[in-house]
Amino acid sequence: MCGRFAVTLPPDAMAQLFGAAPANDLPEAPNFNVCPTTQIHVVRSGDTGRQLVSMRWGFLPHWYKSPTDGPLLINARAETIAQKPAFRTACRERRCLIPATGFYEWTKDAQGNRLPWYIHPADNAPLVMAGVWQIWDKGETRTTSCAIVTTGANRPMSDIHHRMPVVLRPEDCGKWLGEEGPGAATLMRAAPDDFLAFHRVDTAVNSNRASGPDLIEPV
């Protein structure tokens, strides 16, 4: 899964990187501890081209009566996304890119203590995670929400966790967004074994209130 991540690129750099027009209400960056239910940076494709917008991380199915009416859907499994009622339409029609610098996962020691790891591209290039999005509209409340698509972990990552985000290469972004015709399903696979690097970080990140660049430094 992916339950926390970091983003260090400023919004104008993200907009330039993806050739997207930036919205006016983007979250602040850098953010070294991006948590579920907060607003995150998302790239989507529309009639006027790509847009860099803000979305709630935590997908809201149309039948939810409130944002807390059901499970918190921060991830969508690649293996079942096309069949699950919550995601199947978004998977076909509303795919997006979720920029990041890296993400966190946890292991446990013999005493059950949670040990955080920071995972990032081995070449330190920006990380692009596949996502799906939709608009949840209940009366006067209108929320655009999203989820990160995950798949089974590659061999190195499996030592930390059995799941990982679907990571997109720059040349795959247009296909995932639907700008290059069909074939997005072929992208829902684990990254190559040499694509990611990882290291232990301080347990300070175990708190969702922690912040600052020290969170991603090796310990």
Side-chain angles (χ1 to χ4, degrees):
M1 63 177 294
C2 179
R4 213 89 71 75
F5 65 91
V7 57
T8 60
L9 278 177
D12 57 345
M14 289 187 226
Q16 184 175 4
L17 179 65
F18 296 102
N24 295 322
D25 60 346
L26 295 171
E28 291 187 8
N31 184 347
F32 294 89
N33 194 5
V34 180
C35 300
T37 76
T38 61
Q39 296 296 119
I40 65 173
H41 302 86
V42 175
V43 177
R44 66 182 179 188
S45 189
D47 295 337
T48 58
R50 292 183 182 180
Q51 305 161 332
L52 177 65
V53 299
S54 174
M55 293 188 188
R56 176 191 190 266
W57 182 21
F59 194 93
L60 295 174
H62 66 82
W63 61 82
Y64 277 23
K65 294 180 177 143
S66 75
T68 58
D69 193 36
L72 179 59
L73 304 176
I74 61 172
N75 295 152
R77 293 174 66 94
E79 297 88 343
T80 58
I81 192 172
Q83 291 80 42
K84 290 288 186 182
F87 300 119
R88 60 191 178 199
T89 302
C91 180
R92 292 194 305 269
E93 302 174 3
R94 294 183 299 276
R95 297 187 297 273
C96 60
L97 313 176
I98 299 177
T101 307
F103 62 97
Y104 301 96
E105 282 295 354
W106 282 260
T107 56
K108 288 185 178 180
D109 63 15
Q111 290 73 43
N113 299 308
R114 299 178 73 234
L115 307 177
W117 297 77
Y118 181 63
I119 301 105
H120 60 93
D123 62 0
N124 291 315
L127 181 73
V128 185
M129 299 181 287
V132 291
W133 69 275
Q134 78 169 8
I135 295 173
W136 180 80
D137 197 346
K138 296 294 178 185
E140 297 180 358
T141 304
R142 183 181 175 90
T143 303
T144 306
S145 65
C146 65
I148 294 170
V149 181
T150 66
T151 188
N154 61 20
R155 186 196 56 77
M157 183 70 197
S158 65
D159 291 336
I160 300 174
H161 199 276
H162 67 286
R163 305 287 298 175
M164 66 184 296
V166 169
V167 176
L168 301 171
R169 298 171 299 180
E171 60 267 28
D172 295 331
C173 290
K175 181 175 285 189
W176 181 254
L177 289 173
E179 299 168 347
E180 300 174 6
T186 64
L187 304 176
M188 291 192 288
R189 60 182 184 270
D193 286 352
D194 61 352
F195 186 81
L196 297 172
F198 46 84
H199 56 261
R200 273 285 319 283
V201 292
D202 195 273
T203 54
V205 78
N206 291 359
S207 169
N208 59 14
R209 294 184 294 275
S211 63
D214 291 348
L215 295 181
I216 65 173
E217 291 300 315
V219 297

